[in-house]
Amino acid sequence: MSRRLLNLAAAGAFALGLASAAFGQETQPQPQPQPQPQPETKTVVTTTTQTAQAVQNPDGSWTVVQYPAGKEVVVDFTPAPTFTTAKGRAKIIRMKDDTTVTLDLSGLPADAAAMNLYAVDPFGKVTMLGPVAFTNGVSTASFHTPLDRFMLVLSPEANLTAYAPTTTYAFRSAVPQGFAVVPLTSAEGEKVAAATTAGATTAFTAPMLGIPTYDRGDTTDVKVRLGGALTGSRVNFQITPRKDGPTTIVARFHELKEAPAGQVYVLWAVSPDNKYTKLGQVVNTGQRNEAEIKSETALADFGLLITLQPEGADPAGEVVVTAIK
């Protein structure tokens, strides 16, 4: 009996030994490889910016551009070789029927003499915007012009009537970034303004005053906008459509500025098709500060403006007064 029990115990121990061996031979789980961090993928976006380049004559002598309505454009000035230390720019704002030019000039000689600012249109026609005075080589000034396509030339010439690359100048306007030059246009065949109601078209414009809406026989005071050489003066327009047909126009000047030598103030009536009639002129040599022009026209409707220009039958020079409705 005891022997039998011993045999059973031995058998059990042997079985346990085999089980342990078998367990030791089982495949142990292998460690799993850890995922390696992947390099970060970046999307590179290349943006190509197209910048409109200014186009102008290589020598910068012709820089007429068209200015957009309702936007301020900053125009840099290119100084003449004799004014290499000078700097200048203009802020130009074009509205519906008027363009404002504001100058900011510096770096000229402390004793720099006064000069004149001119606008040159696509036909090469020169319009004087007004005189520019300097204090210790610095000047700021504002001018008005009805033009929307032009370049600016600041010149010591007192009465510049034509522009060429050889014209004496202190500054010329450069072409603003993104603008293209308006080519010089031949004026051959272009009509020239005349001092009659059949006059031809010009580069100037003036708003119509709506004369048919005025009461005949009554006198109406018309508002004006002053600029250039008449800044700080007073000008009054009175318009009376007569019952017998023509319209009487009276322009009265107060605190009238002296006109430069060889220049006169000329009153023009402008028809709806932009033709000009000369109504009269004032010559002021500094001996008086008040004057009057009284005239009449048969035009059914018209605008009014006054130019500062050499004596003549054609509109020219600087627009210093514009009647506004």
Side-chain angles (χ1 to χ4, degrees):
M1 179 85 178
S2 298
R3 189 173 183 180
R4 185 178 218 182
L5 288 173
L6 288 173
N7 288 336
L8 287 174
F14 180 73
L16 287 173
L18 289 177
S20 298
F23 180 79
Q25 292 178 1
E26 283 184 5
T27 303
Q28 297 298 315
Q30 298 296 319
Q32 296 298 316
Q34 297 298 316
Q36 297 297 318
Q38 297 297 317
E40 182 180 354
T41 301
K42 295 183 179 180
T43 301
V44 179
V45 179
T46 302
T47 302
T48 302
T49 302
Q50 294 183 341
T51 303
Q53 297 297 319
V55 180
Q56 59 182 324
N57 286 9
D59 63 356
S61 60
W62 182 259
T63 59
V64 175
V65 299
Q66 182 168 17
Y67 292 96
K71 294 184 178 180
E72 180 182 278
V73 179
V74 177
V75 180
D76 289 324
F77 279 115
T78 302
T82 53
F83 295 101
T84 54
T85 61
K87 297 180 180 180
R89 60 173 41 186
K91 291 182 180 179
I92 298 177
I93 303 177
R94 174 190 160 206
M95 303 307 290
K96 183 178 180 181
D97 55 3
D98 175 76
T99 301
T100 301
V101 178
T102 302
L103 297 185
D104 185 359
L105 309 175
S106 62
L108 280 84
D111 59 349
M115 303 185 193
N116 290 315
L117 181 66
Y118 297 92
V120 183
D121 71 13
F123 297 99
K125 179 180 177 181
V126 177
T127 301
M128 187 173 79
L129 301 186
V132 178
F134 295 93
T135 302
N136 295 324
V138 176
S139 179
T140 56
S142 292
F143 304 91
H144 293 273
T145 175
L147 298 174
D148 64 345
R149 297 183 298 167
F150 57 91
M151 64 179 286
L152 296 171
V153 179
L154 185 68
S155 173
E157 296 288 341
N159 187 24
L160 189 64
T161 58
Y163 171 75
T166 55
T167 296
T168 302
Y169 71 97
F171 286 106
R172 288 191 299 218
S173 58
V175 178
Q177 184 67 36
F179 286 70
V181 168
V182 176
L184 176 64
T185 303
S186 171
E188 183 178 358
E190 182 190 25
K191 296 179 180 180
V192 179
T196 69
T197 54
T201 59
T202 75
F204 301 129
T205 59
M208 295 298 101
L209 298 175
I211 303 301
T213 65
Y214 290 23
D215 293 330
R216 290 207 164 268
D218 290 347
T219 298
T220 301
D221 293 322
V222 178
K223 295 179 181 179
V224 301
R225 180 175 55 240
L226 303 179
L230 282 186
T231 300
S233 299
R234 290 189 297 116
V235 179
N236 304 117
F237 282 138
Q238 290 187 325
I239 298 177
T240 308
R242 298 209 313 256
K243 293 182 179 181
D244 59 351
T247 299
T248 299
I249 300 108
V250 178
R252 293 188 177 91
F253 299 78
H254 308 275
E255 301 176 30
L256 184 61
K257 304 294 180 64
E258 180 180 354
Q263 304 276 308
V264 294
Y265 296 104
V266 184
L267 174 62
W268 302 92
V270 189
S271 68
D273 56 353
N274 206 37
K275 294 180 180 179
Y276 279 61
T277 302
K278 183 176 179 179
L279 299 179
Q281 68 181 40
V282 170
V283 180
N284 187 31
T285 59
Q287 302 302 315
R288 56 179 177 171
N289 60 10
E290 293 191 355
E292 179 180 290
I293 297 175
K294 185 174 182 179
S295 187
E296 63 181 34
T297 179
L299 291 171
D301 195 10
F302 54 85
L304 292 170
L305 57 80
I306 296 174
T307 56
L308 175 61
Q309 64 173 80
E311 290 196 52
D314 303 335
E318 170 195 13
V319 176
V320 292
V321 180
T322 304
I324 56 179
K325 188 174 179 180

